[in-house]
Amino acid sequence: MNSKILVCYKSVTGFTKQYAEMIADEMDCTVMDFKNVNAETVSKYDTVVFGGRCYMGAIDGLKKAKALIAESGVKTFVVFATGATPNTAEKTIQDAWNKILTSDELLSIPHFYMQGGLCYEKMPLHDWLMMKAFAAVMKSKMKNKKDKTEEDREFERVISNSYDISSKSYIEPLVSFLKERK
């Protein structure tokens, strides 16, 4: 077991937890739910990987994770985010990172995105209501849009129902980064 790496996650519908467990299995290291992590726990590791869902223009739990890292003195902090946006939407993902991380953090915190999906069945009620309202608004806007792109049609299709587009292959860039640092 690699006792120098901790993978911790904040997961609501299960995609982030799934990816955290895949990364920990691949790296043979510790994985923990973020609610069980504190500065003392984190300080025992050289590298901490934090994962959270993209949620309302942020990564769920990242602010608290950064505070814990600053308090603990961990050498390497890595972030991964999960969401419903396909990995192929590179500009959308980069724009999100540019809003989530400062320009200094973009350079100093290795960050990775992994598409997951939507799971309406596991969403808390307020998230479910918000997503269903968003889906209705977007469908209405798309209905009147001329010259729909393939991306527009795909967005319309996937926003309406639960789906899973996660894959173990999406952890490869993060795992490669960790293996290079060993």
Side-chain angles (χ1 to χ4, degrees), residues 106-176:
L106 285 167
L107 297 172
S108 64
I109 300 174
H111 49 281
F112 302 86
Y113 177 80
M114 298 164 201
Q115 66 186 30
L118 284 175
C119 185
Y120 284 108
E121 297 80 10
K122 292 182 181 177
M123 280 184 193
L125 181 59
H126 67 280
D127 289 357
W128 184 90
L129 291 169
M130 188 170 53
M131 283 302 298
K132 286 296 187 177
F134 175 68
V137 167
M138 293 309 293
K139 276 186 167 187
S140 177
K141 283 184 178 182
M142 293 288 198
K143 185 177 183 179
N144 300 323
K145 184 176 180 182
K146 297 176 185 176
D147 302 326
K148 288 183 190 176
T149 66
E150 184 60 37
E151 192 174 287
D152 290 337
R153 285 188 280 283
E154 180 66 8
F155 180 75
E156 278 182 297
R157 186 183 68 75
V158 299
I159 195 76
S160 301
N161 301 299
S162 295
Y163 62 93
D164 183 349
I165 53 176
S166 58
S167 169
K168 187 174 182 180
S169 66
Y170 300 133
I171 70 168
E172 290 174 9
L174 191 155
V175 168
S176 292

Side-chain angles (χ1 to χ4, degrees), residues 95-115:
D95 289 347
W97 283 121
N98 291 340
K99 291 175 185 166
I100 292 166
L101 299 174
T102 67
S103 55
D104 287 343
E105 289 171 338
L106 285 167
L107 297 172
S108 64
I109 300 174
H111 49 281
F112 302 86
Y113 177 80
M114 298 164 201
Q115 66 186 30

Side-chain angles (χ1 to χ4, degrees), residues 39-57:
E40 183 181 337
T41 304
V42 169
S43 67
K44 296 175 185 172
Y45 298 91
D46 291 339
T47 300
V48 173
V49 178
F50 172 79
R53 67 181 173 151
C54 289
Y55 182 70
M56 297 180 62

